[in-house]
Every structure is written in C-alpha cells, then in structure tokens.
Amino acid sequence: MAKIMICLLFAALCCQMAFAEFKCPNKSGYYADPEQCDLYYECRNGVPKEKLCKDGLVFNDKNPLYERCDFPFVVQCGKRQYLRKLRPYSLTHAH
C-alpha cells in the first residue's frame, strides 16, 4: 500500500512540475506550447491553463488574443514538432 501511495505522490508531483514549467508571457492571452504544436495555454491573470486542439488540428499562434486551432497546412509549427497521438475513430458510434 505504501508503494502505491509513493507512486501516486510522485505522479502528482511530475504533473504539477509539467504545468509549472510554462510561464505566461503576458497576463492574458493564448500561447503555444514551445514543443507540441497542438498544445497551447490560456493565460488569465498570469495563470496558465493547458488546452489541446481537437484531433487533426494544431494551434495557430499568430495572435495571442484569439484561441484558434487550424489545419496543419495553414500553421507553421517551426520547432513545435510534437503532436499528441490521435485517438482511434470508432465505427460503432458512427451514424
């Protein structure tokens, strides 16, 4: 039981550290993650909230006043080369 608690505590600390790494460049706005093209942050009062674009879209960081995900052929990701793995499409739920 103690090993499970230690593992859970370690996982929680790692997650907290990941969020703590991003610093809002301004008090408010939408800002791209420096490494992952479909990940971005909404900053309110200097506090970042992690957000993801829908599958197949990437964050367009041209204007921090707008929250905009777009098609990859429209956005220049540059050094933001990583994308999350797409979720498989289920034909059982399609109509």
Side-chain angles (χ1 to χ4, degrees):
M1 183 71 170
K3 287 183 180 181
I4 293 172
M5 293 300 289
I6 291 171
C7 288
L8 289 174
L9 180 61
F10 181 73
L13 287 172
C14 287
C15 288
Q16 207 170 22
M17 287 173 51
F19 284 119
E21 287 181 21
F22 185 82
K23 302 281 188 225
C24 293
N26 291 304
K27 197 171 183 178
S28 297
Y30 300 95
Y31 301 97
D33 182 78
E35 296 178 357
Q36 187 173 331
C37 199
D38 55 357
L39 176 65
Y40 63 101
Y41 298 88
E42 175 183 15
C43 292
R44 290 191 180 189
N45 297 318
V47 179
K49 178 181 177 184
E50 186 178 90
K51 299 185 108 181
L52 278 168
C53 294
K54 291 184 179 182
D55 281 349
L57 300 178
V58 294
F59 183 66
N60 187 330
D61 65 343
K62 285 188 178 181
N63 189 334
L65 298 177
Y66 299 103
E67 180 179 21
R68 183 174 179 180
C69 293
D70 216 328
F71 294 105
F73 60 84
V74 175
V75 177
Q76 299 264 334
C77 288
K79 292 183 179 181
R80 301 181 297 139
Q81 62 186 359
Y82 299 105
L83 296 170
R84 78 164 183 259
K85 188 176 179 181
L86 295 177
R87 290 172 273 172
Y89 180 76
S90 173
L91 294 176
T92 59
H93 291 89
H95 296 289

